[in-house]
Amino acid sequence: MPRRRKQDILNETTLFSNIRILKRQVFSVNKKDKKDEIILRQLELIRTMSEHNLNRMGSDFWGDSSSLSPDSPFREYLDKAPQTVDPPKAGGTPPAPAAASTGNSDAQTKQTEETMPPEKIEDLLAELDGYIGLTAIKKEVRSLINMVTVHKLRRENGLPTPDLSLHMVFSGNPGTGKTTVARIMARIYHSLGILSKGHLVEVDRGGLVAGYVGQTAIKTSKVIDSALGGVLFIDEAYALNNGAENDFGQEAINTILKSMEDHRDDLVVIVAGYDGLMDSFIHSNPGLESRFNRFLHFDDYTLDEMMQIFEMRCEKGCYELTEDARPLLREFIQLANTNSISFGNGRGVRNLFEQILVVQANRLAAQSDLSREDLMRITAADIRVAQGKSPEENEIEKAARESI
């Protein structure tokens, strides 16, 4: 084995000596100081990493610690250093799979460590019916549940059953409830015994496509593995097929299609996006066309439905609209919703709600002796200020309304 240079040995010995000195210095300043505690943890991490690396280097150069001379300065560290963990043997307990992360650029997912028991289908349907709007979607979901139920009964009675594709395409503008419905669909499939876990893994192009050759398939496969037993929800799926040269989106599509076939008994894929773009995406690939044959369109919310969404947020947050604030709120939503895509339907209502709460908080902060009712009340003045109107305009408009 090659011999180590004296300078390398001296550098490593100096490293451990410096760590000891730093630890003594930190302890001497203030043991109760939080900053010192953080520094100590960092030093301990450095020490542990150094010991681990030294253990590996020592094995490479000298074998195990028994081959070192008794007076070797590294025997102490090699004996105490953590040993490499062997991979699990066949029949042993495999390591827990790492859950994929989700965000706009990474696969965003929440995967429970243990499978939750299936919920009652009646409770899930009651929750679905409680959603505002989505009339056509609720009808489609009920039809799908009926079809799956009959399909299972035929199988249990030994009758032939055709292949049932449960993968779906959700199309519609932003904020129309696509992710919410995808999440409850995962729970419904779990309740019906189709999926073993019933969780949702939400991802977009950034969570599937890598920047170098050969990495996209690996990245996509990890996301799919985290979704097994549940629903893989791909938002803005059309971005995977942008037609650019040297783009790796097609590699992600091919990996997804293969996994849909390999895991067809315990994986459902839902792709979502704008209407026209999703049609082009599905019809751009024969494999996509053959696997996605169930389309659900999400309509924009009406003005009345958006008012209901706002009032629902008020109810959940313990806020109350005054009677004179309601017509102003309706007008505010109507003026803001000039474009369904940019406004974002339910998402846009949420943004308006948060803007109004900021205005209300600013108003209340200038007052004293606030009651519980004061903290809950959203006034017409709050709506006007959220619209960008000045206090003077508020007073003029208020006087004009009172004179009518």
Side-chain angles (χ1 to χ4, degrees), residues 38 64 136 138 167 191 269 315 333 339:
I38 295 173
D64 60 24
K138 294 172 183 177
H167 309 296
S191 175
V269 179
E315 183 178 350
I333 294 175
N339 186 305

Side-chain angles (χ1 to χ4, degrees), residues 134-137 171-173 175-177 297-302 305 345:
L134 303 174
T135 303
I137 300 301
S171 62
N173 289 327
T176 48
H297 174 73
F298 289 70
D299 294 322
D300 291 334
Y301 287 112
T302 65
E305 289 169 345
N345 285 279

Side-chain angles (χ1 to χ4, degrees), residues 257 279 281-293 295:
L257 291 176
D279 289 339
F281 170 68
I282 296 299
H283 298 308
S284 68
N285 187 308
L288 293 172
E289 283 184 314
S290 63
R291 289 170 176 81
F292 291 98
N293 56 13
F295 293 77

Side-chain angles (χ1 to χ4, degrees), residues 26-275:
V26 170
F27 269 119
S28 65
V29 176
N30 188 349
K31 293 181 180 180
K32 296 182 181 180
D33 195 321
K34 188 69 175 178
K35 182 177 179 181
D36 292 347
E37 181 183 349
I38 295 173
I39 294 174
L40 283 174
R41 290 179 182 177
Q42 293 173 335
L43 290 173
E44 185 63 24
L45 177 62
I46 294 172
R47 186 187 66 79
T48 303
M49 293 175 63
S50 299
E51 289 179 349
H52 179 71
N53 291 334
L54 186 57
N55 181 44
R56 295 181 59 187
M57 287 189 296
S59 298
D60 292 340
F61 283 93
W62 299 300
D64 60 24
S65 60
S66 62
S67 63
L68 297 177
S69 61
D71 58 347
S72 171
F74 298 101
R75 172 175 290 280
E76 173 189 357
Y77 300 108
L78 288 175
D79 288 341
K80 294 190 301 182
Q83 301 299 312
T84 303
V85 178
D86 292 332
K89 305 265 191 314
T93 303
S101 61
T102 115
N104 293 331
S105 59
D106 291 318
Q108 276 189 353
T109 179
K110 288 184 179 178
Q111 184 175 4
T112 55
E113 294 182 357
E114 55 183 24
T115 303
M116 299 296 293
E119 302 170 78
K120 293 182 179 179
I121 193 66
E122 296 82 6
D123 295 339
L124 293 170
L125 286 174
E127 180 180 336
L128 178 66
D129 290 338
Y131 295 158
I132 295 171
L134 303 174
T135 303
I137 300 301
K138 294 172 183 177
K139 183 179 178 180
E140 288 289 339
V141 170
R142 286 183 177 274
S143 296
L144 180 61
I145 292 173
N146 294 336
M147 185 183 67
V148 170
T149 302
V150 173
H151 186 275
K152 287 185 63 180
L153 289 173
R154 286 182 61 88
R155 180 180 294 178
E156 291 170 1
N157 285 273
L159 296 172
T161 54
D163 291 337
L164 188 62
S165 176
L166 300 176
H167 309 296
M168 291 181 283
V169 179
F170 287 2
S171 62
N173 289 327
T176 48
K178 296 186 290 293
T179 305
T180 301
V181 173
R183 188 172 290 110
I184 197 172
M185 285 306 305
R187 294 159 58 197
I188 287 174
Y189 283 150
H190 183 38
S191 175
L192 295 173
I194 296 171
L195 296 175
S196 61
K197 296 180 181 178
H199 64 293
L200 179 80
V201 174
E202 182 182 358
V203 70
D204 58 11
R205 174 189 166 91
L208 299 171
V209 179
Y212 302 96
V213 177
Q215 292 185 341
T216 293
I218 298 173
K219 188 174 184 179
T220 302
S221 295
K222 288 182 179 179
V223 174
I224 293 171
D225 288 343
S226 71
L228 293 180
V231 169
L232 175 62
F233 181 76
I234 307 175
D235 197 16
E236 299 182 355
Y238 48 78
L240 293 173
N241 186 17
N242 58 22
E245 188 177 357
N246 298 325
D247 181 71
F248 302 120
Q250 187 59 47
E251 185 179 356
I253 294 174
N254 295 338
T255 304
I256 293 168
L257 291 176
K258 183 178 184 304
S259 296
M260 290 169 67
E261 182 64 27
D262 294 344
H263 306 288
R264 59 182 178 273
D265 294 330
D266 204 21
L267 175 67
V268 170
V269 179
I270 299 177
V271 292
Y274 297 112
D275 291 323

